[in-house]
Amino acid sequence: MDTEAFRKLVAESREKFAPGDLDRAKCADFLKHVEYVTLDATAPASAWAPLSQALSNGNGNTRIYYLSTAPSLFVGIAQRLSEAGLAGPDARIVLEKPIGRDLASSREINDGVGAVFAEHNTFRIDHYLGKETVQNLLVLRFANMMVEPVWSRAYIDHVQITVAEDLGVEGRAGYYDKSGALRDMVQNHILQLLCLVALESPNSVDGDAIRTEKLKVLSALKRIGPADVASKTVRGQYRAGLVNGKAVPGYNEEVGAASKTETFVAIKAEVENWRWAGVPFYLRTGKRMGGRRSEIVVQFKETPVPLFGEGAAGPNRLVMRLQPDEGVKLWLNMKEPGPGGLRIKSAALDLTYEEEFGVRYPDAYERLLMDVARGNLGLFMRRDEVDAAWEWADALLAAWEEQGGEPSAYAAGSNGPTQSALMLDRDGRAWWDPE
Ligand code: BG6
């Protein structure tokens, strides 16, 4: 592309994604500042003159470099920016996930990038942290007196965190096949969700206070070793099937090889601390499932006495729907109106974002990129968090390696391998049951 084509793309995207709510004259003025520069990220710094030139009229302003590249290029780019004199002490760098593919490669990247950019100028993106519903988790827990006192092993039976996608690998087979669901979704997005459900009350909403509490959760995650990998995890890979009424090929056809990469994973995780000991956190994610649905379900324990008869009243559930249909649902037991005995019915208080707030709310990236510009680090992963998440994921990857075997097959459009439903040992429901 050249600058003109790129400006056109920016203008069209603006019209498409934020129609009508911006001042046209300001948009036109903004576009004049947009330039498109092509360079080889692996070329020596001396070849980076076009970039220096493009940035030359911005001297004095804070520079932000957002690397949406393969992680293997992060360190080289940071070094070249430094050699070309483009990485001053105020410059910021944004790194897309994944940060490496295990603890060792992530350390290498963080050391290399860290030699040029200080930690307080390094923004590691996990776009789930920019989602409105994910940010709401902290508000729901710590701005409502009725939630936090029951938020522990004393009252909670188990937690389910599900991120199901109907998409397949969508032209990213090269990346995905080396990664798999554990590295692509669990090590980052799902563990971040788990942290926000499980963390202790931070001393403030300051970024570092929250990140310190998240780190404590990650450090308390029980390692899954070879002895319990079979009972605590399920790996799956999709075969051809029907998704939303459309026939789709299997994973191996999409990547063009007989692959052992998992496209589905279910894990029974445990947080070993006083608040959560003994409460399973069921983590599940998969590609080419029957639909796109991300939600967190907190299931409470049964009442201590079955006053209305054994099994008459089911457990309370708090369901946080992250996407689509963002909302919060609280299932309570109610008396079904009518004479002739007491019949109990489970009914939900149901808050949907659309009905309650109505307005367009920003995409995760809008929020995150604005935070980079403002210098707010709170929604970005600190280096020690990434390390701790890799330590846990590495142990599981090693256990799978030792176990050998292949992921179980599941039909595209289904709920994943059947064993994953059996893991929910405290609750007879199939995990896919709509909430
Ligand atoms: C990305 C993963 O980080 O998140 C993708 O690499 C996945 O494989 C995507 O599809 C899901 O994001 P969202 O916002 O659509 O849930």
Side-chain angles (χ1 to χ4, degrees):
M1 263 189 217
D2 58 15
T3 291
E4 203 161 315
F6 188 62
R7 285 182 184 168
K8 193 162 166 267
L9 179 71
V10 173
E12 283 167 4
S13 307
R14 204 284 292 165
E15 290 283 354
K16 184 168 165 201
F17 295 106
D21 61 358
L22 290 178
D23 178 326
R24 279 176 181 279
K26 280 195 184 146
C27 287
D29 192 42
F30 170 75
L31 281 181
K32 287 190 205 139
H33 298 273
V34 174
E35 278 185 60
Y36 191 92
V37 176
T38 308
L39 48 88
D40 177 355
T42 59
S46 54
W48 284 39
L51 184 61
S52 313
Q53 215 173 346
L55 293 175
S56 61
N57 63 0
N59 284 337
N61 292 339
T62 302
R63 289 173 178 165
I64 298 170
Y65 300 102
Y66 173 21
L67 311 190
S68 181
T69 67
S72 54
L73 293 171
F74 290 167
V75 175
I77 294 176
Q79 279 166 354
R80 277 170 207 110
L81 286 170
S82 166
E83 286 156 23
L86 294 170
D90 294 332
R92 297 174 191 160
I93 193 158
V94 185
L95 305 176
E96 258 303 335
K97 66 144 268 256
I99 311 288
R101 60 185 324 276
D102 53 18
L103 180 61
S105 55
S106 143
R107 283 201 168 134
E108 237 168 71
I109 290 170
N110 283 322
D111 286 345
V113 172
V116 178
F117 293 90
E119 181 66 23
H120 69 268
N121 285 327
T122 304
F123 294 75
R124 298 179 191 85
I125 284 200
D126 182 309
H127 78 281
Y128 268 57
L129 294 178
K131 290 183 191 280
E132 285 291 337
T133 41
V134 174
Q135 293 176 58
N136 186 50
L137 277 169
L138 284 180
V139 178
L140 188 75
R141 287 189 56 194
F142 299 116
N144 294 297
M145 191 56 207
M146 59 175 288
V147 177
E148 201 47 27
V150 295
W151 207 255
S152 74
R153 64 196 299 266
Y155 299 99
I156 291 179
D157 184 77
H158 70 259
V159 176
Q160 302 180 35
I161 302 180
T162 304
V163 178
E165 298 185 273
D166 46 9
L167 294 179
V169 288
E170 314 300 310
R172 294 157 77 225
Y175 151 74
Y176 194 89
D177 201 44
K178 287 199 216 80
S179 164
L182 187 82
R183 290 186 173 97
D184 185 52
M185 293 296 290
V186 180
Q187 186 270 344
N188 33 74
H189 306 323
I190 292 189
L191 288 190
Q192 287 291 323
L193 296 178
L194 182 150
C195 284
L196 293 173
V197 173
L199 55 68
E200 295 298 321
S201 163
N203 291 343
S204 73
V205 285
D206 162 64
D208 259 333
I210 296 172
R211 299 196 298 178
T212 299
E213 294 306 332
K214 286 196 291 172
L215 176 66
K216 280 157 70 180
V217 175
L218 291 167
S219 323
L221 264 185
K222 194 169 177 181
R223 303 274 174 278
I224 299 179
D228 41 22
V229 69
S231 61
K232 290 189 176 166
T233 73
V234 175
R235 284 176 290 167
Q237 189 193 73
Y238 63 82
R239 299 283 180 265
L242 270 186
V243 176
N244 302 326
K246 213 179 121 218
V248 295
Y251 180 75
N252 283 336
E253 285 103 82
E254 280 192 64
V255 299
S259 166
K260 288 189 178 172
T261 300
E262 80 285 355
T263 61
F264 172 97
V265 57
I267 299 170
K268 182 177 176 180
E270 283 161 83
V271 180
E272 281 191 299
N273 61 21
W274 273 60
R275 188 193 278 260
W276 295 114
V279 178
F281 283 73
Y282 296 102
L283 316 178
R284 301 182 188 90
T285 185
K287 296 236 177 248
R288 287 282 194 236
M289 315 289 300
R292 174 171 183 254
R293 206 182 81 203
S294 300
E295 69 182 22
I296 299 173
V297 179
V298 175
Q299 178 153 328
F300 290 87
K301 294 190 167 170
E302 311 254 339
T303 55
V305 178
L307 191 60
F308 302 99
E310 206 66 59
N316 298 127
R317 291 159 83 91
L318 177 67
V319 182
M320 291 157 278
R321 292 193 307 272
L322 308 181
Q323 60 189 30
D325 288 336
E326 291 80 351
V328 177
K329 218 175 202 182
L330 177 62
W331 288 92
L332 299 173
N333 290 305
M334 305 292 285
K335 177 188 174 297
E336 204 178 320
L342 261 178
R343 282 176 306 277
I344 299 201
K345 189 171 187 294
S346 182
L349 300 180
D350 193 359
L351 181 152
T352 70
Y353 269 50
E354 201 181 342
E355 276 173 25
E356 186 64 32
F357 306 112
V359 290
R360 178 190 96 93
Y361 30 89
D363 177 78
Y365 276 98
E366 293 181 55
R367 163 74 199 232
L368 294 175
L369 296 179
M370 201 62 217
D371 274 2
V372 179
R374 290 185 174 136
N376 296 338
L377 282 155
L379 296 178
F380 297 85
M381 290 183 294
R382 209 167 56 190
R383 176 179 179 157
D384 48 12
E385 284 180 76
V386 179
D387 283 356
W390 273 128
E391 267 172 47
W392 177 85
D394 275 5
L396 176 50
L397 287 162
W400 277 344
E401 183 74 32
E402 195 173 320
Q403 182 194 34
E406 294 183 4
S408 315
Y410 63 95
S414 71
N415 304 338
T418 42
Q419 306 95 297
S420 66
L422 302 179
M423 275 184 36
L424 213 53
D425 50 10
R426 308 259 191 109
D427 177 351
R429 297 162 64 112
W431 68 274
W432 187 254
D433 283 356
E435 287 294 340

